[in-house]
Amino acid sequence: MESTPAAWSQTDAFLAETLVGHDPALEAALTAQREAGLPEIEVAPVAGKLLDLLVRISGARRVLEIGTLGGYSTIWMARAVGPHGRVVTIEAEADNAAVARASIDAAGVGDRVDIRVGRGADVLPTLDGEFDLVFIDADKESNTIYLDWAARLGRPGTVIVLDNIGREGEIVREDSTDSKVDGTRDGLRMLGDDPRFDATALQTVGAKGWDGVALALVV
Ligand code: DHB
Ligand code: MG
């Protein structure tokens, strides 16, 4: 087998089939998102399950998500926090938030999810912590702002998950002119340099191409 994007996708499909399975509410959320014309850039099923496991392993009850999109990852985490948990999720686009609201409610976890519509940089200062886990999956240009707020709204022990750190390997191209690449690289440098964090990152290949995720602990 050659290591090609097609092979990565097939392998991801096998892993999802074998380890994640099918779920009507999650799949309905993806259908609703597609039918509404939202970009299909939600986390892969295996990554949704990773978020679920990280929430449960850390015992997180208060989760903050930056970047709701159609609510797919939100549903994963809202289930994981359990009936007494809470997810606050920030979405810049009101149309996306409406799609997410309907899917989250249809999944039966609407009472645990508070969607705040607005740009992260505007909404974050209005939130009260503490959050036990923060998932950052929004505009990459603002990653350092989001990481700063994740630390401020967290506590020692808060888990931070930062999506899309791979960017097809572009992060090592010093001459890149892509602002998403710059934002991703700046976020990773902050995780490495800022004493509030202990972090690592894992590259992934799969349904989303060559990508990856950073994991950090607020220390
Ligand atoms: C992009 C954003 C994402 O959150 C993602 O998972 C994949 C791609 C993007 O903006 O390019
Ligand atoms: Mg993402």
Side-chain angles (χ1 to χ4, degrees):
M1 197 82 172
E2 269 197 83
S3 181
T4 60
W8 307 341
S9 278
Q10 282 173 42
T11 306
D12 237 25
F14 169 80
L15 295 173
E17 198 67 43
T18 307
L19 299 169
V20 182
H22 290 276
D23 181 274
L26 287 168
E27 288 171 13
L30 295 183
T31 302
Q33 177 178 300
R34 187 171 55 247
E35 286 177 351
L38 272 53
E40 293 178 61
I41 55 171
E42 76 286 344
V43 298
V46 289
K49 183 75 178 274
L50 176 67
L51 291 171
D52 164 271
L53 289 169
L54 287 170
V55 168
R56 290 160 56 206
I57 289 166
S58 65
R61 285 286 172 271
R62 292 252 306 161
V63 168
L64 172 62
E65 177 178 61
I66 308 173
T68 317
L69 190 64
Y72 178 78
S73 48
T74 322
I75 294 170
W76 269 111
M77 294 190 290
R79 286 175 169 171
V81 294
H84 304 297
R86 190 143 195 89
V87 178
V88 176
T89 182
I90 303 172
E91 174 53 46
E93 303 287 339
D95 292 348
N96 295 1
V99 173
R101 180 82 264 167
S103 293
I104 291 163
D105 290 349
V109 289
D111 56 339
R112 304 174 197 175
V113 178
D114 180 3
I115 305 181
R116 303 288 180 94
V117 180
R119 296 205 57 81
D122 299 326
V123 174
L124 285 160
T126 72
L127 299 182
D128 294 318
E130 297 172 329
F131 290 97
D132 307 312
L133 183 145
V134 183
F135 177 47
I136 302 172
D137 190 17
D139 57 306
K140 311 311 167 193
E141 291 82 353
S142 303
N143 273 346
T144 56
I145 295 170
Y146 300 152
L147 287 167
D148 178 56
W149 277 105
R152 290 161 71 159
L153 294 169
R155 50 161 173 86
T158 290
V159 176
I160 300 174
V161 184
L162 177 68
D163 197 29
N164 310 118
I165 57 88
R167 303 230 76 89
E168 311 286 337
E170 288 286 304
I171 54 170
V172 296
R173 269 188 55 174
E174 290 295 338
D175 63 346
S176 170
T177 54
D178 182 340
S179 61
K180 292 183 182 184
V181 171
D182 289 344
T184 301
R185 191 159 48 205
D186 290 348
L188 289 166
R189 288 196 170 126
M190 184 171 178
L191 286 175
D193 294 342
D194 188 316
R196 293 176 294 176
F197 306 112
D198 259 345
T200 191
L202 296 171
Q203 297 186 66
T204 56
V205 295
K208 300 197 66 174
W210 177 10
D211 201 353
V213 65
L215 284 179
L217 185 69
V218 177
V219 292

